[in-house]
Amino acid sequence: MLIDNHGRVINYLRLAVTDRCNLRCFYCMPEEGIEYVRRDELMSFEEMIRITKLFASQGISKIRITGGEPFLRKDLMEFLDVITSIPEIEQVSITTNGTLLRKHIPELKRMGVRNINLSLDSLDAERFRKITRRDNLSEVLDAMDLLVDQGFKTRVNAVVMAGKNTQDIIPMVELGRNRPISIRFIEEMPFNGTEGQGNQGFWSYVDILDHIRSHFPNFVKLNDGPSSTSMNYQIEGFQGSFGIIAAYSRTFCGTCNRLRLTPQGTIRTCLYDQGVFNIKTMMRQGATDQEILVALQSALNHRAKDGFEAERNRIKNFPVSESMATIGG
Ligand code: SAM
Ligand code: SF4
């Protein structure tokens, strides 16, 4: 079992399989994109499988595949086929922008993938284009409809940004009126690939909840899971639910059960840390499984209590400025 220095059991891996992306969401990267890591610096298919199996043997039972855009990785479906058959892995879920997803849905269903998070920040074509700098809203909506139709546990994640999409909050909550969709609003974080370009007029989880309450006064609080990052609610008469992820206010660190592995093989024990060691380098230098596990446990023995401490511990000249696509959001 993996346990950190604060007694938190780690059973969840967020694995970013690529830093490449076909969208250019402005809160994630600049218009010209980010400097991608060299192909040979990305973890290989074999390396990702080795690590997944090793971690599974230590109690990791949930894996979320993210990126960059995971469906840009050529061998993704083969990789999923392998990891969905690892006995200790109880749940494989995916976070995707949905643009390339639709054709893979039958195969994902066959593999037993049941949980898909779609990132979608606006239901309006023009606002979607402004936010993502691309024109793919219809592909994402098609994928969403098929996911629901095929019985996937579908979540829609929207980053809330003042002056950009706050007018979408209520229409997005409405997505759950007649469909079992969970729509989750995320506070914007500074991981936008550009140093010092903060969000103007930040909307906190309190602002988001107050806004929803002013339109729908009758909602009830749902039971959040034990390590849930979202506070979840249901409006009377709705099939679906809505939730808020206080990603910047960091309200959920006390129960954090997550480990992150970046596309280039860096372990992050917190989204806000700067990376604690590189597992791919260790593997390429011939490290044994035991050596990797010792390095991992040592990292967990020094894990920050929360995202604020992790951010404080970053070296002075290394402010939060990397793109979420290089971390795996
Ligand atoms: N490309 C996939 C997607 O968009 O779903 C997976 C990777 S993306 C980095 C994962 C999640 O991070 C998305 O839901 C995205 O909205 C979120 N994200 C990216 N940059 C963010 C930021 N600066 N603040 C908050 N959330 C962010
Ligand atoms: Fe790409 Fe996802 Fe970042 Fe948008 S949020 S640019 S879809 S990695």
Side-chain angles (χ1 to χ4, degrees):
M1 220 195 241
L2 299 168
I3 303 181
D4 75 7
N5 47 333
H6 303 283
R8 294 171 293 198
V9 174
I10 310 296
N11 61 3
Y12 178 18
L13 174 67
R14 296 184 65 103
L15 175 59
V17 295
T18 182
D19 61 346
R20 274 73 171 156
C21 194
N22 56 340
L23 301 188
R24 290 288 177 273
C25 305
F26 85 95
Y27 52 77
C28 180
M29 55 174 81
E31 185 154 18
E32 65 278 13
I34 51 171
E35 201 175 317
Y36 292 139
V37 297
R38 285 202 336 251
R39 199 162 289 277
D40 63 338
E41 285 298 322
L42 293 174
M43 274 190 299
S44 70
F45 178 74
E46 290 75 18
E47 287 165 340
M48 292 194 304
I49 288 178
R50 176 176 171 197
I51 287 305
T52 308
K53 287 185 171 163
L54 182 61
F55 285 10
S57 75
Q58 300 303 305
I60 294 287
S61 58
K62 280 173 66 180
I63 297 204
R64 175 165 296 280
I65 305 300
T66 178
E69 175 44 44
F71 288 96
L72 282 178
R73 174 116 193 185
K74 267 213 236 58
D75 44 18
L76 180 75
M77 296 306 278
E78 288 163 81
F79 175 66
L80 290 175
D81 216 6
V82 177
I83 64 166
T84 49
S85 56
I86 299 173
E88 296 93 337
I89 303 289
E90 291 160 14
Q91 191 185 98
V92 176
S93 43
I94 305 174
T95 295
T96 169
N97 65 31
T99 55
L100 307 167
L101 171 64
R102 199 175 198 283
K103 70 172 187 216
H104 297 296
I105 289 176
E107 189 61 4
L108 292 170
K109 191 170 178 180
R110 181 196 65 73
M111 290 176 193
V113 175
R114 288 285 169 271
N115 297 271
I116 309 257
N117 288 6
L118 275 183
S119 302
L120 173 61
D121 308 305
S122 179
L123 298 174
D124 174 82
E126 183 53 21
R127 280 196 294 278
F128 179 94
R129 196 183 57 73
K130 279 203 172 122
I131 292 168
T132 65
R133 303 179 176 118
R134 298 288 185 271
D135 242 335
N136 299 89
L137 178 62
S138 59
E139 286 94 316
V140 185
L141 293 178
D142 277 356
M144 181 178 78
D145 289 344
L146 188 58
L147 284 177
V148 174
D149 193 50
Q150 291 297 305
F152 282 79
K153 193 167 167 212
T154 309
R155 288 172 172 164
V156 171
N157 286 345
V159 179
V160 175
M161 297 156 287
K164 295 281 195 297
N165 68 345
T166 50
Q167 60 274 64
D168 282 288
I169 294 176
I170 299 306
M172 295 192 94
V173 170
E174 283 282 354
L175 283 176
R177 186 182 285 275
N178 298 313
R179 284 181 286 190
I181 294 181
S182 160
I183 159 85
R184 300 172 337 153
F185 300 101
I186 308 177
E187 287 178 352
E188 186 178 0
M189 294 180 280
F191 299 103
N192 53 24
T194 46
E195 198 177 310
Q197 201 191 84
N199 178 22
Q200 314 296 316
F202 173 68
W203 272 51
S204 74
Y205 68 99
V206 177
D207 300 323
I208 299 168
L209 193 60
D210 283 350
H211 181 70
I212 297 174
R213 189 182 284 114
S214 70
H215 286 75
F216 297 106
N218 295 323
F219 57 73
V220 290
K221 178 85 185 65
L222 299 175
N223 275 335
D224 306 322
S227 295
S228 172
T229 50
S230 55
M231 300 169 255
N232 299 292
Y233 307 87
Q234 189 161 36
I235 296 168
E236 219 177 274
F238 274 44
Q239 271 193 53
S241 59
F242 74 89
I244 305 182
I245 303 181
Y248 189 68
S249 305
R250 288 161 256 187
T251 53
F252 41 70
C253 302
T255 56
C256 181
N257 61 347
R258 291 168 202 78
L259 201 58
R260 288 187 151 77
L261 190 49
T262 74
Q264 55 274 56
T266 303
I267 287 282
R268 283 185 177 231
T269 56
C270 173
L271 180 57
Y272 285 84
D273 74 31
Q274 62 186 94
V276 283
F277 73 101
N278 191 294
I279 223 162
K280 179 203 64 203
T281 309
M282 282 190 83
M283 285 190 282
R284 293 188 185 175
Q285 287 170 348
T288 62
D289 286 355
Q290 195 49 36
E291 285 165 340
I292 292 172
L293 291 179
V294 168
L296 179 61
Q297 189 55 57
S298 158
L300 291 177
N301 291 345
H302 297 93
R303 192 171 183 229
K305 173 167 74 57
D306 56 31
F308 296 103
E309 185 180 313
E311 195 176 358
R312 272 196 309 274
N313 289 347
R314 293 172 74 121
I315 6 178
K316 253 205 175 125
N317 294 326
F318 193 73
V320 168
S321 65
E322 59 268 47
S323 162
M324 195 70 111
T326 64
I327 310 172

